[in-house]
């Protein structure tokens, strides 16, 4: 045993040196992900509208990791760029070539230089590991010392590493499927791959890992047996199989999405949201819905949506990047795009699209309307077929509609343009100039009637047809 390990062991035996230690996370994301059959690296595929890697990063943040390092492969520079954007500089380690999970963790050593504390290993393709389980791993290590591993009882353990336990319940080693004996294969207690260890101990143990196994890889799982010989016992924290789910293919990605949706629907209903047909409503990781909101069937929430209490989202709506005020009604078949803010009691009806627009209290657009880049005053009423013409092929322009204004059906509002408070626009108008408060603007061809025209026209046409 190296001198470093021996000294660490002495200090690890003292409970008080294990308390309130700094925390770090290492997230492995260097796998090729070839089974995804995608140009997009596996860990950037989304579950619940958030990249799988970002779920792991969020878990690390939730447990208060002061340092987080993501290990990526040389084949996927976009993963490194993504991480640098999300976590800042010095948070990416490159493993090239990938020689196994132990080798991957070693790649993070330089990025964690100078860190003295506990570290948890997470995975960029396992989005559901709950922060509460990671807390338990840290707590177990704080209470008992040594290493902690998250295990679970697998319904079908095939393919997982198995936790081989001693009589006292601690883990003596982890054996991979391909290296396991018949008796070991019968063990259902499986390895999630999530571990917690003293960072320095971890890196010391990793130096001892060899690749003498069926896959000729450096197995991270070997730290358990190596740790035990060095005096660091591994304790198990039990988790749920669904929490440890890893994604390798589009089929598994869809399975993960299903789990996310089912859990979110349940949580929503438990928080007082009414879902008439839960299975047909889709949420994102950050969807916020207050109690006493009713969501009718077939509604899709993209990211960045907040719905205040008492609102009703009617059937077949697609909503993203929108704030929906108290008691507002949306749909059926409405589309709210990013930058939409609906005040209290706003009504958005069928076949209405709203983008980057603010609706004041009780304003309404009930039918067949496009409102983009606009401010709509309180109580303003947009008639059927109102269109904001916000784009000239180069730039977007804003439309401002005053309070209590009444926009006649089929009005085209050519932005930039302002409709004054309480003003009216005549149906079918194309409004290109500002309208003062309280005025009526009519901008359409004047109607005239030609007496008898229809009768003459029909007679002429009929005569020509009879001749043929
Ligand atoms: C691993 C565990 C196994 C556990 C299972 C849980 C090992 C040796 N085995 O097996 O005990 O039951 O996870 O799902 O650790 N990775 C790298 N670089 C590498 C190799 C892997 O970053 O060189 C990453 C992969 O992208 C993946 C994770 O590590 O996210 C696990 O690798 P994988 O090959 O899936 O390991 P398993 O065989 O599933
Ligand atoms: Mg795997």
């Amino acid at each position: 045993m190296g001198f470093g390990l021996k000294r660490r062991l002495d200090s690890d035996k003292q409970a008080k040196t294990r308390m309130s230690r700094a925390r770090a996370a290492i997230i492995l994301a260097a796998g090729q992900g070839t089974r995804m059959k995608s140009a997009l690296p596996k860990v950037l595929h989304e579950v619940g509208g958030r990249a799988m890697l970002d779920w792991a990063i969020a878990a690390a943040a939730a447990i208060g990791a002061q340092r987080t390092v993501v290990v990526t492969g040389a084949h996927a520079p976009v993963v490194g760029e993504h991480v640098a954007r999300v976590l800042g500089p010095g948070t990416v380690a490159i493993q090239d070539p990938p020689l196994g999970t132990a080798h991957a963790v070693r790649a993070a050593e330089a990025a964690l230089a100078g860190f003295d504390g506990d570290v948890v290993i997470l995975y960029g393709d396992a989005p559901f590991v709950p922060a509460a389980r990671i807390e338990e791993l840290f707590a177990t290590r704080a209470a008992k010392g040594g290493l902690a591993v998250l295990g679970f009882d697998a319904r079908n353990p095939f393919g997982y590493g198995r936790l081989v336990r001693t009589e006292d319940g601690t883990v003596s080693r982890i054996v991979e499927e391909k290296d396991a004996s018949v008796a070991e294969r019968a063990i259902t207690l499986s390895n999630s791959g999530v571990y917690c260890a003293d960072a320095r101990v971890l890196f010391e143990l990793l130096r001892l890992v060899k690749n003498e196994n069926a896959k000729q890889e450096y197995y991270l799982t070997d730290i358990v047996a190596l740790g035990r010989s060095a005096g660091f016992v591994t304790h198990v924290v039990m988790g749920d199989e669904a929490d440890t789910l890893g994604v390798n293919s589009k089929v598994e990605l869809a399975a993960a999405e299903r789990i996310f949706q089912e859990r979110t629907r349940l949580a929503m209903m438990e928080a007082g949201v009414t879902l008439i047909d839960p299975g047909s409503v889709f949420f994102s990781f950050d969807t916020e819905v207050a109690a006493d909101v009713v969501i009718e069937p077939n509604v899709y929430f993209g990211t960045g949506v907040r719905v205040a209490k008492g609102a009703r989202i009617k059937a077949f709506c697609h909503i993203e990047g929108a704030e929906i005020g108290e008691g507002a009604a949306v749909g059926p078949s409405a589309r709210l795009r990013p930058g939409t803010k609906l005040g209290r009691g706003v009504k958005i009806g069928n076949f209405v699209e709203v983008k980057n627009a603010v609706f004041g209290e009780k304003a309404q657009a009930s039918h067949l309307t496009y409102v983009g880049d606009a401010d709509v005053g309180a109580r303003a009423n947009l008639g059927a077929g109102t269109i904001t013409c916000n784009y000239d092929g180069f730039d977007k322009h804003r439309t401002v509609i005053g309070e209590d204004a009444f926009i006649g059906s089929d009005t085209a509002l050519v932005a930039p343009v302002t409709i004054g408070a309480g003003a009216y626009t005549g149906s079918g108008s194309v409004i290109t100039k500002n309208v003062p408060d309280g005025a009526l603007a009519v901008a359409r061809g004047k109607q005239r009637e030609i007496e008898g025209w229809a009768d003459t026209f029909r007679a002429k046409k009929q005569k020509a047809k009879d001749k043929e």
Side-chain angles (χ1 to χ4, degrees):
M1 194 198 320
F3 177 66
L5 267 183
K6 175 82 181 70
R7 215 179 41 202
R8 283 323 269 188
L9 184 59
D10 291 341
S11 91
D12 198 59
K13 280 186 176 144
Q14 287 155 21
K16 76 169 191 300
T17 66
R18 300 193 303 260
M19 298 296 164
S20 21
R21 306 196 67 207
R23 290 174 175 184
I26 297 173
I27 302 173
L28 302 192
Q32 298 269 0
T34 44
R35 278 182 282 162
M36 293 300 272
K37 306 259 168 70
S38 173
L40 184 71
K42 172 166 77 172
V43 296
L44 297 185
H45 282 77
E46 293 179 350
V47 171
R50 168 153 79 176
M52 289 195 282
L53 178 56
D54 290 344
W55 282 95
I57 289 173
I63 53 97
Q66 290 155 10
R67 307 270 289 272
T68 297
V69 177
V70 178
V71 180
T72 73
H75 63 282
V78 289
V79 175
E81 287 156 23
H82 177 94
V83 172
R85 240 186 349 263
V86 175
L87 288 174
T91 56
V92 180
I94 292 172
Q95 183 202 17
D96 182 28
L99 300 176
T101 44
H103 181 254
V105 175
R106 276 192 84 171
E109 186 169 6
L112 282 179
F115 174 79
D116 187 11
D118 286 350
V119 61
V120 61
I121 315 285
L122 299 170
Y123 298 85
D125 59 0
F128 297 137
V129 177
R133 288 293 89 69
I134 304 171
E135 281 292 349
E136 255 183 85
L137 288 173
F138 282 115
T140 300
R141 223 197 79 65
K144 301 176 177 165
L147 313 173
V149 59
L150 182 63
F152 62 93
D153 248 317
R155 247 172 310 165
N156 170 13
F158 180 83
Y160 289 122
R162 310 296 210 287
L163 304 186
V164 181
R165 287 206 277 192
T166 60
E167 275 164 16
D168 66 5
T170 60
V171 187
S172 55
R173 65 191 193 103
I174 300 179
V175 60
E176 293 302 292
E177 177 81 32
K178 284 189 173 159
D179 304 299
S181 66
V182 173
E184 286 164 341
R185 282 179 195 179
I187 298 173
T188 56
L189 180 62
S190 302
N191 175 27
S192 69
V194 178
Y195 321 82
C196 172
D198 172 314
R200 304 231 171 136
V201 171
L202 173 70
F203 292 120
E204 289 288 337
L205 293 174
L206 287 174
R207 281 185 240 292
L208 309 174
V209 173
K210 298 196 177 72
N211 66 347
E212 290 156 5
N213 52 54
K215 285 165 92 180
Q216 296 196 313
E217 282 185 6
Y218 295 90
Y219 286 169
L220 180 54
T221 46
D222 285 357
I223 60 169
V224 171
L226 291 166
R228 183 168 280 263
S229 338
F232 297 91
V233 170
T234 297
H235 305 276
V236 191
V237 167
M238 288 301 288
D240 270 352
E241 184 167 7
D243 288 341
T244 66
L245 176 114
V247 170
N248 297 298
S249 65
K250 294 283 166 70
V251 173
E252 288 170 7
L253 184 68
E257 184 69 35
R258 197 159 51 242
I259 290 172
F260 166 79
Q261 293 298 343
E262 278 165 11
R263 289 179 173 185
T264 308
R265 289 165 190 148
L266 258 163
M268 288 281 175
M269 290 186 283
E270 275 161 6
V273 178
T274 302
L275 303 181
I276 293 171
D277 176 19
S280 72
V281 178
F282 293 82
F283 295 102
S284 286
F285 75 100
D286 62 350
T287 312
E288 289 177 37
V289 185
D292 288 325
V293 167
V294 177
I295 301 174
E296 295 184 5
N298 296 297
V299 173
Y300 182 91
F301 291 95
T303 56
V305 177
R306 238 167 49 208
V307 187
K309 69 180 175 200
R312 189 172 186 106
I313 312 297
K314 299 181 188 176
F316 299 103
C317 287
H318 189 284
I319 302 175
E320 56 186 326
E323 266 177 49
I324 298 171
E326 204 177 311
V330 177
S333 299
R335 179 172 184 208
L336 304 184
R337 292 167 54 202
T340 295
K341 281 193 185 138
L342 308 182
R344 275 166 180 251
V346 164
K347 193 176 159 211
I348 298 296
N350 45 272
F351 308 109
V352 172
E353 174 180 346
V354 182
K355 183 215 79 171
N356 190 28
V358 181
F359 276 67
E361 203 169 311
K362 291 195 177 148
Q364 16 187 318
S366 298
H367 342 258
L368 300 157
T369 287
Y370 172 60
V371 182
D373 303 303
D375 295 292
V376 179
R379 300 170 304 280
N381 188 327
L382 278 52
T386 298
I387 304 287
T388 54
C389 310
N390 58 325
Y391 186 49
D392 57 17
F394 295 92
D395 297 304
K396 306 277 170 64
H397 303 282
R398 221 157 167 89
T399 299
V400 178
I401 299 172
E403 293 187 351
D404 299 298
F406 189 98
I407 307 301
S409 295
D410 196 26
T411 295
L413 300 161
V414 183
V417 72
T418 297
I419 309 297
Y424 271 68
T425 67
S427 301
S429 290
V430 177
I431 303 293
T432 56
K433 292 187 296 189
N434 293 347
V435 179
D437 292 356
L440 164 68
V442 185
R444 62 186 184 218
K446 226 185 167 93
Q447 180 173 325
R448 62 187 179 124
E449 300 81 40
I450 302 169
E451 290 282 338
W453 182 93
D455 290 343
T456 314
F457 175 76
R458 270 196 210 95
K460 197 171 92 187
K461 283 292 191 191
Q462 194 59 52
K463 207 167 156 188
K465 205 170 191 185
D466 292 346
K467 257 193 185 160
E468 285 173 12

